[in-house]
Amino acid sequence: MTTVEKLHSKQAESRLETIRTESELLQQEFFSSRDASAVRVRRTAMVDDAVVEAWRLHLEPAFATGLAVLAVGGYGRQDLFPHSDIDVLLLVAEPPSGEGKEALSRFLQAIWDASLRLSHSVRTVRECCELHEQNVELNVSILDQRFLCGDTVLYADLSARLPRFLQSQRTALSRHLCRLTHQRHAKYHDTIHHLEPNIKESPGGMRDLHLIGWLDKLWETSAAEEPYVVAAREFLSATRCFLHYRSNRDNNQLSFDAQEEIAPDAAAYMRLYFRHTWAVSRAALRAMDTFESRGNSLLAGFRDWRSRLSSSEFTVARDRILFRSAQQLTHDPSLALRLFAFVGRHKIAIHAETERRLREHLPALTEAFRNNTALWTELREILLLPHASAALRAMHDTGVLGAIFPEWASIECYVLRDFNHRYTVDEHTLIAIENLEKLRDGKSPDGGPADSRFRTLMAGIEDQAPLLFALLFHDTGKGVEDSAHAAESARLAAAAGRRIGMPEQTVRMVTSLADCHLVLSSAMTGRDLDDPATPRWLADRVGFIEILKNLTLLTYADTSAVHPTALTQWRREQLWRVHRTAERELTRELENDRILTAASNDPDCEQFLKGFPTRYLRIHTSEEIAYHLELEAQRRDAGIALNVRKQGGVYELTVLAKDRIALFSSIAGALAGFGMNILKAEAFANQQGTVLDTFAFADPQRTLELNPPEMDRLRQTIERVLLGKSDVRALLKNRPRP
């Protein structure tokens, strides 16, 4: 080893020791203060010293001119974390050769010997000022370039030419940045709500902060300086420093163990994390929405076409919804619900200004929606719209969902330590609803074709609002400590349903679904489907076929929302086997299991119930049975009895009569002839040949509401049909056409 080499070796050892000492001191100070900005600034300065010294020793003798060393990327931004890569650009007048290559090799080796992870590139000024379609990252890194040492004249040439290049190519660069960001977001299901997020790459993470800064530089805006973005940057920086020091490497995964170590209250810390990443994510999406359409005439034309959807209450501008008069919210809180119905109908996102207005009015909306028994009608309409999941997500993002349902607050950004799940409880719920919507539209959760069996099952459920409401509430019990979450979810769903005016029959359906939402999953993985006891167990837990159909779909959606690949082919087959097993048992029960004796001291009640399927007792409350007995008393006197009553936004017709051919179809025809939309119906017959038929129907033209005398005419029409005095075929000829 020559004298010069020995000198360089000693200098390298000294430099390495200095870096180690300074790094250890920085780490101690960070864990004492949690000041990430000090770490980034001081580590950058430390690396600057090492790079400049390596240049002085190895490059300056070989390159008196014609080479400059630039810091780029995070290093250029002076944003170095404990184990970040050191991104260096060697700006050359012409590609090095011979002795220059050897000097360059020694320079790079000296930096690696200092335990600094180097990522370098060698470029001419011309290469730096041309668009690299296949390597946009190079162009992006130069946005954050910073001169360190070397030929100042060469760097001045770059400084003069680079702004002109960026000005001419900023639209193309912005479009590339947006494309790469969308691809990155898609890898994380376009959501910030991961249980163990990657704080750098996940939506709302450090990469999104970088995107905002890059677009600011390209278009001379200042979104990165917004106070909430600055606060999020400091929070995420402190978290990233902690993760790097904890792992002693460039690790950005906020694992369950790291969450426990980073704060005394991990759940509270994660809620704070999601609040910051939500703000960053919204800012990034707004920035992309502003810039990605520049110069895109096709997108501009599409947005112009969408603007034709504007109504008297809402304006669609640049593919975003705005209030025409936001002040109307003050005296008409239902305007907010009509806004979300607009979203659910057209799948258009709301504008940032609309979101701000809604948040301003949240206290008033919370008060207006409290104990409002008319809400179910409006919410049911939203749940039945083609894009209900988009409407619910918009309600969640603006806080309106929590204003309507305080129960939702307990699962917002709630991290439940479950290694099978990937998302927070609220995000899991919304994804489950999205997957059910995909099934209806013929798609599987991963975007492929849907399983036709489950799609056919869903098509057979005319009123899907109770299913979606149950899915919305099925995990709310997880936010209540020390409780069986299924039973607690059922209790919360029932309380919320009654508070918003949901019909009692629908409340029972929703409660049953929430309470039993783990039953089919348990059977899939924990019971022998060939065991004769399993069908009986399923029938006892589920109760009746209508619940089973909805429960199967809820389980399909719930399972598929655990993570993108959770609903495997095997799981689908197992779920369908469980469904068929329970269906066969319940169908057999309908034929064979009849009420032989009723536990009642009332002889009339015992005689009325005798011969009904046992299912009747499962699905009707004592109050409803008493109501049916009153009608039965009228039937014994008059031969028939019927009554129509309104239950929330739905009407219920109850008929008691002696059985005869075509009785059920005659009643259905009478309702259809009157323009009513039958949502569901059920029929029971007892041992005496008395039939109890119940129809739930909607009045799409609001005929009964706007013309009260029409209710009497409807009753008279049905009564005449039952007595054989009117021909239902004639009624159907005159029915209103849709």
Side-chain angles (χ1 to χ4, degrees):
M1 183 180 292
T2 66
T3 304
V4 173
E5 288 174 338
K6 289 179 180 178
L7 177 62
H8 287 173
S9 177
K10 287 183 179 179
Q11 290 172 332
E13 290 176 5
S14 175
R15 183 165 58 248
L16 178 59
E17 186 59 33
T18 301
I19 289 174
R20 282 176 177 168
T21 303
E22 178 70 11
S23 297
E24 289 173 3
L25 183 61
L26 266 179
Q27 182 171 346
Q28 292 170 7
E29 291 179 0
F30 171 76
F31 280 106
S32 174
S33 66
R34 295 297 173 99
D35 183 2
S37 59
V39 173
R40 284 148 44 207
V41 171
R42 287 172 57 185
R43 184 160 190 267
T44 300
M46 180 173 61
V47 173
D48 282 354
D49 290 343
V51 172
V52 171
E53 184 180 356
W55 168 80
R56 183 176 56 79
L57 290 173
H58 303 291
L59 289 181
E60 189 177 28
F63 293 92
T65 60
L67 183 144
V69 182
L70 277 60
V72 294
Y75 182 29
R77 292 190 300 272
Q78 297 182 293
D79 198 25
L80 282 183
F81 290 87
H83 293 280
S84 294
D85 285 349
I86 313 302
D87 294 320
V88 170
L89 172 66
L90 298 168
L91 186 67
V92 296
E94 58 185 30
S97 61
E99 185 182 344
K101 276 190 174 182
E102 292 179 8
L104 181 58
S105 178
R106 291 193 296 272
F107 166 78
L108 299 175
Q109 185 63 47
I111 296 176
W112 277 103
D113 288 345
S115 290
L116 299 176
R117 292 173 53 205
L118 182 69
S119 177
H120 79 283
S121 61
V122 181
R123 302 286 175 180
T124 63
V125 173
R126 183 183 61 80
E127 288 173 329
C128 290
C129 296
E130 60 186 18
L131 185 64
H132 298 270
E133 294 274 356
Q134 304 304 318
N135 187 15
V136 179
E137 289 82 358
L138 171 65
N139 296 118
V140 172
S141 69
I142 297 175
L143 286 171
D144 297 313
Q145 55 82 23
R146 179 169 58 89
F147 178 78
L148 292 175
C149 50
D151 189 342
T152 55
V153 175
L154 183 64
Y155 178 68
D157 184 24
L158 176 68
S159 299
R161 294 169 61 177
L162 187 60
R164 294 196 297 271
F165 162 71
L166 294 176
Q167 176 72 22
S168 65
Q169 295 294 332
R170 61 181 182 175
T171 298
L173 283 170
S174 298
R175 204 172 296 142
H176 280 299
L177 282 170
C178 293
R179 175 179 56 81
L180 293 172
T181 302
H182 285 307
Q183 291 174 354
R184 174 170 54 82
H185 285 183
K187 293 179 182 178
Y188 295 90
H189 205 279
D190 292 301
T191 179
I192 66 171
H193 294 101
H194 292 266
L195 297 182
E196 296 181 290
N198 183 309
I199 69 165
K200 183 180 179 182
E201 301 293 338
S202 293
M206 301 296 293
R207 281 288 186 219
D208 279 2
L209 284 171
H210 300 159
L211 171 74
I212 296 167
W214 293 329
L215 291 176
D216 275 355
K217 288 181 179 180
L218 287 171
W219 298 95
E220 298 177 357
T221 53
S222 58
E225 303 309 315
E226 292 287 345
Y228 62 89
V229 176
V230 174
R233 184 185 300 118
E234 292 307 311
F235 177 88
L236 290 172
S237 295
T239 303
R240 193 178 182 199
C241 280
F242 174 87
L243 293 174
H244 280 206
Y245 281 134
R246 176 182 180 272
S247 304
N248 197 30
R249 61 186 177 86
D250 186 9
N251 171 39
N252 302 297
Q253 197 78 27
L254 190 52
S255 65
F256 288 137
D257 290 342
Q259 292 168 28
E260 292 291 337
E261 294 175 26
I262 200 169
D265 187 344
Y269 188 88
M270 290 307 295
R271 280 198 158 116
L272 186 59
Y273 166 84
F274 289 122
R275 189 152 54 242
H276 282 303
T277 52
W278 181 85
V280 173
S281 174
R282 305 299 285 182
L285 290 173
R286 281 197 296 272
M288 286 195 293
D289 183 59
T290 300
F291 299 120
E292 68 183 349
S293 64
R294 292 177 186 266
N296 190 333
S297 58
L298 179 63
L299 183 58
F302 176 70
R303 287 179 164 176
D304 181 60
W305 175 81
R306 298 267 277 185
S307 68
R308 299 177 187 178
L309 298 172
S310 299
S311 66
S312 60
E313 294 180 321
F314 311 112
T315 297
V316 179
R318 296 182 61 82
D319 211 27
R320 292 292 183 268
I321 308 172
L322 288 151
F323 287 117
R324 285 195 182 273
S325 174
Q327 292 306 315
Q328 188 180 342
L329 281 169
T330 305
H331 57 82
D332 184 11
S334 290
L335 178 65
L337 296 179
R338 296 197 293 276
L339 168 70
F340 297 118
F342 194 90
V343 173
R345 193 170 292 112
H346 303 296
K347 202 177 182 180
I348 304 175
I350 61 176
H351 195 279
E353 176 63 16
T354 307
E355 188 174 306
R356 186 185 70 79
R357 292 282 194 170
L358 285 169
R359 289 193 171 276
E360 277 183 359
H361 285 82
L362 268 185
L365 291 174
T366 303
E367 185 63 31
F369 293 146
R370 182 181 300 160
N371 299 321
N372 185 340
T373 56
L375 276 179
W376 171 242
T377 302
E378 295 174 279
L379 285 172
R380 182 177 178 277
E381 178 190 351
I382 292 173
L383 292 173
L384 294 176
L385 287 169
H387 308 291
S389 63
L392 290 171
R393 189 172 286 280
M395 292 170 74
H396 174 47
D397 289 344
T398 56
V400 174
L401 192 60
I404 298 173
F405 299 118
E407 298 86 355
W408 184 258
S410 66
I411 62 169
E412 281 188 331
C413 302
Y414 185 58
V415 173
L416 189 68
R417 294 194 120 203
D418 184 335
F419 292 97
N420 291 320
H421 282 70
R422 181 173 294 184
Y423 310 108
T424 55
V425 178
D426 55 342
E427 182 65 18
H428 164 82
T429 299
L430 293 172
I431 291 175
I433 293 172
E434 287 173 359
N435 287 345
L436 205 58
E437 205 168 85
K438 288 179 181 177
L439 177 65
R440 182 205 62 204
D441 295 338
K443 298 177 182 177
S444 63
D446 61 5
D451 189 313
S452 60
R453 297 169 298 181
F454 294 100
R455 190 184 182 196
T456 301
L457 187 66
M458 189 171 185
I461 299 177
E462 292 191 27
D463 185 9
Q464 296 170 7
L467 169 60
L468 293 171
F469 190 89
L471 200 50
L472 188 66
F473 270 80
H474 81 286
D475 272 349
T476 49
K478 287 182 176 178
V480 181
E481 293 184 4
D482 303 322
S483 65
H485 95 264
E488 184 63 20
S489 297
R491 185 188 69 79
L492 293 172
R498 293 188 177 101
R499 190 174 65 245
I500 63 174
M502 183 182 287
E504 193 59 32
Q505 190 173 9
T506 307
V507 169
R508 289 200 302 276
M509 167 68 81
V510 166
T511 304
S512 297
L513 292 174
D515 191 34
C516 297
H517 80 267
L518 298 175
V519 169
L520 302 191
S521 297
S522 176
M524 287 164 59
T525 57
R527 297 190 72 96
D528 180 2
L529 297 184
D530 294 321
D531 183 348
T534 298
R536 183 70 261 167
W537 178 81
L538 283 168
D540 288 341
R541 293 302 312 275
V542 173
F544 58 102
I545 286 177
E546 189 176 5
I547 287 287
L548 175 64
K549 291 177 180 178
N550 284 271
L551 194 57
T552 301
L553 294 168
L554 191 151
T555 306
Y556 172 98
D558 190 20
T559 304
S560 64
V562 170
H563 57 79
T565 58
L567 193 64
T568 61
Q569 178 67 27
W570 179 85
R571 286 184 178 275
R572 284 202 304 273
E573 292 302 325
Q574 282 294 97
L575 177 55
W576 190 251
R577 275 192 70 196
V578 170
H579 170 80
R580 293 290 293 151
T581 298
E583 183 183 48
R584 283 193 294 268
E585 181 66 16
L586 289 169
T587 304
R588 184 194 64 77
E589 180 185 277
L590 283 176
E591 295 297 325
N592 302 326
D593 290 2
R594 299 279 172 171
I595 301 172
L596 302 178
T597 58
S600 173
N601 296 323
D602 183 353
D604 290 337
C605 178
E606 185 168 354
Q607 185 180 19
F608 175 67
L609 295 177
K610 193 173 182 180
F612 274 164
T614 54
R615 171 175 173 269
Y616 174 85
L617 293 176
R618 287 199 184 117
I619 65 174
H620 290 105
T621 63
S622 56
E623 291 80 9
E624 288 177 329
I625 294 173
Y627 169 63
H628 294 161
L629 282 170
E630 290 178 12
L631 290 177
E632 169 62 5
Q634 297 175 25
R635 185 205 63 79
R636 286 197 297 266
D637 293 337
I640 61 169
L642 65 95
N643 190 38
V644 180
R645 57 182 182 177
K646 193 171 185 181
Q647 301 270 42
V650 177
Y651 293 89
E652 180 188 80
L653 166 66
T654 306
V655 174
L656 277 155
K658 282 296 181 180
D659 197 8
R660 64 174 174 81
I661 294 174
L663 177 67
F664 188 87
S665 60
S666 296
I667 301 170
L671 288 171
F674 221 80
M676 301 296 116
N677 180 22
I678 299 173
L679 302 175
K680 69 174 185 176
E682 59 184 18
F684 297 99
N686 64 16
Q687 202 172 64
Q688 289 74 40
T690 302
V691 170
L692 169 65
D693 288 346
T694 307
F695 292 81
F697 64 90
D699 181 7
Q701 304 300 323
R702 299 174 63 199
T703 304
L704 304 179
E705 180 183 344
L706 300 176
N707 304 285
E710 289 294 285
M711 179 67 81
D712 291 332
R713 193 166 76 84
L714 174 63
R715 289 193 183 97
Q716 291 169 7
T717 299
I718 296 172
E719 186 175 325
R720 290 179 62 83
V721 168
L722 290 172
L723 295 173
K725 296 179 179 179
S726 292
D727 186 354
V728 71
R729 288 172 295 186
L731 293 173
L732 287 171
K733 287 180 181 178
N734 299 320
R735 65 177 171 174
R737 295 294 177 184

